[in-house]
Amino acid sequence: MESSSGEELEEEYPGHEWITPQSSINAAYQSQTEKGIRKICSELLELKDAIENLSGNRQSKYLAFLRISEEVVEAEQELIELQKHVSSQGILVQDLMSGVSRELDVWFKSNKEEDTKEKDFQAELDEILSDDTQDPKAIFLDKLDALLAEHKMEEALVALEAEEKKYLVTDESGKESNAELSAFKTALFKRKAILEDQLVRWSEQPSLPITELRKSLAGLVKIGKGSLAHQLLLKAYGSRLQKSVEAFLPSCSIYTETYAASLSQIVFSAIAKAAKETNTLFGDSPMNMNRIIQWAEYEIETFARLVKENSPLPESVSALRAACICIQTSLSHCSFLETYGLKFSKLLMVLLRPYIEEVLELNFRRVRRKIVDAARNDDILLLTPQEGSPLSGAVAPNIMLTSSGKKFISIVNDILDQVTPMTIVHFGGAILNKFLQLFDRYVETLIKVLPGPSEDDTLLESKEPVEFKAESDAQQLTLIGAAYTIADELLPAAVAKFFDMQTEKKGTGGSSEGLGSGSIYSIEYKEWKRNLQHSLDKLRDHFCRQYVLSFIYLEGKSRLDARMYMERKTDDLDPLPSLPFQALFGRLQQLASVAGDVLLGKDKIQKVLLSRLTETVVMWLSNEQEFWDVFEDRSVQLQPSGLQQLILDMHFIVEIAVCGRFPHRPVQQLVSTIITRAIAAFSARNVDPQSALPEDEWFLETAKAAIHKLMLGTSGSESEPEPEPEEHVALHDEISDSDESIATPSTSGSEDSFASANNDELESPVYFTDPEA
């Protein structure tokens, strides 16, 4: 581009000599640029070589520096050893000089006589220093110094011990002065300090075998340093324990369920060995016991911290299993340590309880979400326990479970599989309460699945969608039957191991000392079962309430309304209960038939539900103020026939309970209250009950006849004579005080309960015969 533009300039201004052509400029400067680049490249290459040489020199100098550093360290060690040797030699020279001086003084004192001939001083000195006249103490000190210089600690210890027994007593002969004995003791103490220092440094070596450690510690004990020796023992075991733990920690993430047990084995084994060595070497003095307790408490606190730090996710099953195994193994180790007088169970539980409680709480939250999801998406598939499944051993062959019920009990068994006996002893009460919360949550979810509004719409958050609604009677009864089966049979059987453990503990004289408020001993099994029944009552009452309300507020002639008792006809030859109560009987009979198929073999559940249904109807009548406001309305005229029909309907309700073999005493009491209130309401409107109403036997016989006719599917035909009733229930005069026995049906047609009714018969319109027609 530049050359082309230069040529254009030259062509444009060809005649101007004062303008230098671009081609000349390029020719002049291009060569200089190339030379410059080549020169720079050459300099860069030289610089690169210089840097490489410099790097090599620096590396070699660094290696030389390292070698010099190592040599300096070795030289320092040699200097230290040389100083020790010089010091020991100095002690020898000092002792030698003091001995010479002492001998010279003695010699001068004994040779002051005038006639003593002068002897050669050098000869006499040689004589004094001869072996025959040398002091045995000096000989011993020389020997001891030689042993110390050669680090022969065992021999030095034996010699020192023997010499102390020989000389460190009062001189009975009186030949030695106190000053000489004191000087000898001082010399021995100095050498004992040197020996102590050597034994301490030898004991502190990290790779020292345990046998050598025992020897050095025993040596310290012999020279009167037992406290120091015990401290060195604990320090050595602490150092070994730290190395073992550090080597084990990387494998915690691999063995997620057993890492805590292995860590417990490492820590408590070290404590047990240290306690055993303490008793062997130092005895069981209180001071030693306090020292080892303080050291062990520190190691246990470190152990608890490591368990928490290396735990898997607290809400995982592996964390629950690891925590339970940790409690089991650690408390077993604590029990073993009690043989040495060491009690750490309380401390261990104080340290680990918050962690165990957190793991339990998060695990139960996790399984609660699974149970809620299973109940909300339950497809009401009836499942029988398969052979070999977790349910097969505890469930009778005739028990049927829905998929959510099977999921619930499977989750319970999964949790119990992780729990160990020691966990049961210390956290059994808390676990039982959490099982109760799980079941209560399960029941709350079933209430959402059943049709109709729940009593407390805040039981489950509105943001939780319900994928399935149990619309048919069979589906609703299946869910209720599954809940009863879990609460009455499966869940108590699953947690029976808690109370087996409690019985075993009490039978063996086990003490509950140290157990907290969450212990299994703080909760009674009956109370726990009672709470389970309370949850079932919520489910049962919701079902009965929505079932009865759907009947009471049914549109059409079967709607239960107080106005149907106004201006009743008095010439009914064959009186029957009101249409709503005929409809109620039909619905109960139909429900009993469905229950007989769905809840096969569960007669108790059927009777509880049907009894509660009849009781719910009567309770509604007793508490519904709008129903009673109609009788108190002065604009409406009341007739005795209306009161008669109301009392007949109430007797009919009682007869339904008697016919179904339900517990009918609560129904009788409520019905008696309603009849009394109705008589009072009609009496206030100038209706005389005594003159208008027939005898009580008439109501009983009419109600039983109505049951018989409705059961047979006829409406007034005399198909067969009625037998005399075996039991009469007085309602509006007085309440029978008989026991809560199940009354025998009084008609031959009612000998079979509701469960024997036929679905085809239930759809017959004869059940809904209007008594006014």
Side-chain angles (χ1 to χ4, degrees):
M1 295 292 292
E2 294 179 358
S3 60
S4 61
S5 61
E7 291 174 359
E8 291 176 358
L9 290 174
E10 290 178 3
E11 292 176 359
E12 187 175 355
Y13 306 103
H16 299 282
E17 296 178 357
W18 51 272
I19 297 176
T20 305
Q22 184 65 33
S23 58
S24 301
I25 294 174
N26 293 340
Y29 289 99
Q30 185 173 4
S31 59
Q32 295 179 3
T33 302
E34 291 176 355
K35 290 179 181 179
I37 291 173
R38 289 175 182 174
K39 184 178 179 181
I40 291 172
C41 290
S42 176
E43 292 175 353
L44 287 174
L45 290 174
E46 292 176 356
L47 182 60
K48 178 182 178 183
D49 295 338
I51 290 173
E52 291 178 352
N53 293 335
L54 181 60
S55 299
N57 292 336
R58 184 176 62 184
Q59 184 69 19
S60 61
K61 291 177 180 179
Y62 178 70
L63 295 176
F65 174 76
L66 290 179
R67 287 195 301 271
I68 292 173
S69 299
E70 294 175 356
E71 293 174 358
V72 168
V73 172
E74 294 176 358
E76 288 178 351
Q77 295 293 333
E78 292 177 357
L79 285 175
I80 291 172
E81 295 295 330
L82 185 58
Q83 287 175 354
K84 293 179 181 178
H85 184 67
V86 170
S87 177
S88 61
Q89 295 300 320
I91 293 173
L92 290 175
V93 172
Q94 269 187 345
D95 293 340
L96 180 62
M97 292 177 64
S98 61
V100 170
S101 299
R102 187 169 55 253
E103 293 294 332
L104 286 175
D105 291 338
V106 173
W107 181 80
F108 279 121
K109 289 179 182 179
S110 60
N111 293 283
K112 285 183 179 181
E113 297 180 359
E114 295 179 357
D115 57 347
T116 303
K117 296 182 179 179
E118 189 177 6
K119 296 182 179 179
D120 183 44
F121 180 76
Q122 185 64 37
E124 293 176 0
L125 183 60
D126 292 339
E127 183 180 356
I128 292 172
L129 295 179
S130 63
D131 292 338
D132 296 335
T133 60
Q134 191 173 0
D135 189 358
K137 296 184 182 64
I139 297 174
F140 169 75
L141 292 177
D142 292 342
K143 179 182 177 182
L144 184 59
D145 289 334
L147 293 175
L148 292 175
E150 296 175 2
H151 290 276
K152 295 181 179 180
M153 293 174 287
E154 293 184 17
E155 298 179 14
L157 183 63
V158 172
L160 183 62
E161 187 178 10
E163 192 67 16
E164 283 183 336
K165 291 180 180 179
K166 182 177 179 181
Y167 287 101
L168 293 183
V169 292
T170 304
D171 186 30
E172 297 178 355
S173 63
K175 295 181 180 178
E176 294 181 330
S177 64
N178 291 334
E180 293 175 354
L181 187 60
S182 177
F184 183 65
K185 287 182 179 180
T186 302
L188 287 180
F189 288 153
K190 289 181 181 180
R191 285 153 181 80
K192 186 185 292 185
I194 296 174
L195 178 59
E196 176 187 341
D197 181 64
Q198 290 182 355
L199 288 173
V200 169
R201 285 188 295 165
W202 180 252
S203 301
E204 289 178 344
Q205 292 185 8
S207 58
L208 186 68
I210 192 66
T211 53
E212 296 296 326
L213 178 64
R214 291 194 191 103
K215 292 180 181 179
S216 60
L217 296 179
L220 287 172
V221 172
K222 290 180 180 179
I223 63 175
K225 299 296 180 179
S227 177
L228 176 61
H230 193 206
Q231 293 177 3
L232 291 173
L233 174 69
L234 298 181
K235 182 178 179 181
Y237 272 99
S239 176
R240 286 171 167 80
L241 175 59
Q242 182 179 1
K243 289 182 179 180
S244 300
V245 170
E246 290 176 353
F248 173 74
L249 287 180
S251 62
C252 290
S253 58
I254 301 175
Y255 306 103
T256 55
E257 293 187 357
T258 59
Y259 83 95
S262 301
L263 196 60
S264 171
Q265 176 70 28
I266 294 173
V267 173
F268 285 95
S269 295
I271 295 175
K273 291 178 181 178
K276 184 178 180 180
E277 290 292 338
T278 298
N279 288 340
T280 303
L281 295 176
F282 313 105
D284 54 353
S285 65
M287 183 179 298
N288 292 333
M289 184 64 66
N290 291 335
R291 191 179 294 114
I292 195 171
I293 286 175
Q294 292 178 0
W295 173 76
E297 286 177 350
Y298 170 78
E299 297 297 343
I300 292 175
E301 290 174 0
T302 304
F303 160 72
R305 176 177 55 81
L306 291 175
V307 168
K308 299 174 186 177
E309 292 177 353
N310 294 276
S311 170
L313 292 176
E315 63 270 16
S316 62
V317 180
S318 57
L320 176 60
R321 181 62 176 170
C324 294
I325 295 178
C326 177
I327 289 293
Q328 183 71 27
T329 55
S330 299
L331 290 178
S332 299
H333 292 314
C334 289
S335 177
F336 174 75
L337 287 177
E338 291 181 1
T339 58
Y340 296 101
L342 304 174
K343 297 181 179 180
F344 298 118
S345 299
K346 291 183 180 180
L347 173 65
L348 183 70
M349 292 308 304
V350 168
L351 295 173
L352 290 180
R353 182 175 293 278
Y355 165 68
I356 304 297
E357 290 177 347
E358 179 188 9
V359 170
L360 286 173
E361 177 64 25
L362 294 179
N363 267 269
F364 274 92
R365 284 186 188 178
R366 173 180 55 82
V367 299
R368 183 167 64 241
R369 290 192 295 267
K370 295 172 68 175
I371 288 173
V372 170
D373 292 340
R376 287 191 288 110
N377 302 311
D378 201 343
D379 52 4
I380 316 298
L381 291 177
L382 294 179
L383 301 173
T384 56
Q386 302 296 325
E387 185 176 356
S389 69
L391 304 178
S392 59
V395 184
N398 61 342
I399 290 181
M400 309 290 281
L401 282 179
T402 64
S403 58
S404 63
K406 184 178 181 181
K407 183 71 173 177
F408 179 89
I409 202 65
S410 175
I411 287 174
V412 169
N413 285 324
D414 287 344
I415 292 177
L416 290 177
D417 288 341
Q418 314 305 321
V419 177
T420 57
M422 283 297 181
T423 309
I424 293 173
V425 171
H426 289 272
F427 298 94
I431 293 175
L432 279 182
N433 286 330
K434 290 187 180 299
F435 280 145
L436 183 62
Q437 295 172 8
L438 278 184
F439 183 74
D440 197 55
R441 183 67 165 173
Y442 173 66
V443 167
E444 291 172 359
T445 310
L446 292 184
I447 290 175
K448 284 291 184 179
V449 172
L450 294 176
S454 63
E455 182 179 358
D456 186 1
D457 290 333
T458 62
L459 289 178
L460 291 177
E461 294 79 356
S462 58
K463 63 182 180 180
E464 294 182 357
V466 178
E467 302 294 337
F468 174 80
K469 275 287 187 180
E471 300 292 347
S472 66
D473 291 346
Q475 291 175 336
Q476 297 177 37
L477 291 176
T478 301
L479 289 178
I480 295 173
Y484 269 86
T485 299
I486 291 172
D488 288 343
E489 302 176 29
L490 301 184
L491 190 54
V495 302
K497 64 162 61 176
F498 289 99
F499 296 94
D500 292 343
M501 176 62 65
Q502 181 186 21
T503 304
E504 181 181 349
K505 264 297 214 187
K506 290 183 178 179
T508 56
S511 173
S512 59
E513 180 185 359
L515 303 182
S517 59
S519 166
I520 191 171
Y521 298 100
S522 65
I523 185 170
E524 292 294 337
Y525 182 69
K526 290 182 179 179
E527 182 65 22
W528 183 74
K529 288 269 292 183
R530 189 178 298 114
N531 290 330
L532 283 180
Q533 291 301 321
H534 290 165
S535 295
L536 283 178
D537 291 344
K538 289 194 298 183
L539 178 64
R540 179 202 62 191
D541 292 344
H542 172 79
F543 168 77
C544 294
R545 184 170 55 253
Q546 61 86 17
Y547 199 88
V548 168
L549 290 180
S550 65
F551 147 72
I552 290 175
Y553 294 107
L554 185 67
E555 296 296 333
K557 291 185 177 181
S558 298
R559 181 185 177 90
L560 182 58
D561 192 348
R563 290 178 176 80
M564 66 185 181
Y565 297 109
M566 305 296 105
E567 300 179 358
R568 302 286 300 181
K569 294 181 179 180
T570 58
D571 55 351
D572 292 336
L573 299 177
D574 191 10
L576 287 173
S578 303
L579 284 177
F581 291 94
Q582 294 184 44
L584 173 65
F585 177 78
R587 295 192 67 171
L588 290 177
Q589 204 169 16
Q590 182 178 2
L591 187 65
S593 177
V594 175
D597 297 333
V598 174
L599 305 176
L600 183 63
K602 311 300 290 182
D603 295 338
K604 178 182 176 181
I605 301 176
Q606 298 180 42
K607 290 184 178 182
V608 167
L609 286 177
L610 296 174
S611 174
R612 187 61 176 173
L613 281 172
T614 57
E615 188 178 344
T616 303
V617 174
V618 182
M619 289 176 63
W620 181 88
L621 286 174
S622 177
N623 300 325
E624 184 61 28
Q625 187 58 40
E626 293 183 2
F627 181 85
W628 296 102
D629 288 343
V630 175
F631 300 112
E632 298 172 0
D633 187 0
R634 296 290 178 177
S635 62
V636 179
Q637 184 180 2
L638 299 181
Q639 299 293 334
S641 58
L643 178 59
Q644 177 180 334
Q645 186 64 39
L646 177 58
I647 295 175
L648 176 60
D649 290 342
M650 295 301 99
H651 279 81
F652 183 71
I653 286 285
V654 175
E655 197 61 32
I656 289 176
V658 174
C659 179
R661 298 186 178 92
F662 309 147
H664 52 272
R665 188 180 184 88
V667 178
Q668 289 176 357
Q669 294 174 349
L670 290 171
V671 164
S672 179
T673 302
I674 292 173
I675 292 176
T676 302
R677 185 175 181 180
I679 290 175
F682 275 79
S683 299
R685 300 290 299 279
N686 300 322
V687 176
D688 185 9
Q690 300 298 330
S691 61
L693 296 178
E695 298 295 330
D696 290 341
E697 288 76 7
W698 181 88
F699 290 105
L700 293 173
E701 293 175 359
T702 304
K704 292 175 182 179
I707 291 286
H708 179 64
K709 292 174 183 178
L710 295 176
M711 293 278 295
L712 292 178
T714 61
S715 60
S717 62
E718 299 293 337
S719 58
E720 60 181 57
E722 292 189 18
E724 290 297 326
E726 297 179 3
E727 178 183 355
H728 295 279
V729 182
L731 296 176
H732 63 278
D733 289 338
E734 61 180 356
I735 299 174
S736 174
D737 294 329
S738 61
D739 294 337
E740 189 68 22
S741 58
I742 304 300
T744 304
S746 45
T747 62
S748 59
S750 62
E751 289 181 357
D752 295 331
S753 65
F754 289 151
S756 64
N758 193 316
N759 283 335
D760 296 335
E761 296 175 355
L762 295 178
E763 297 175 359
S764 173
V766 73
Y767 288 145
F768 310 111
T769 304
D770 190 351
E772 297 181 0

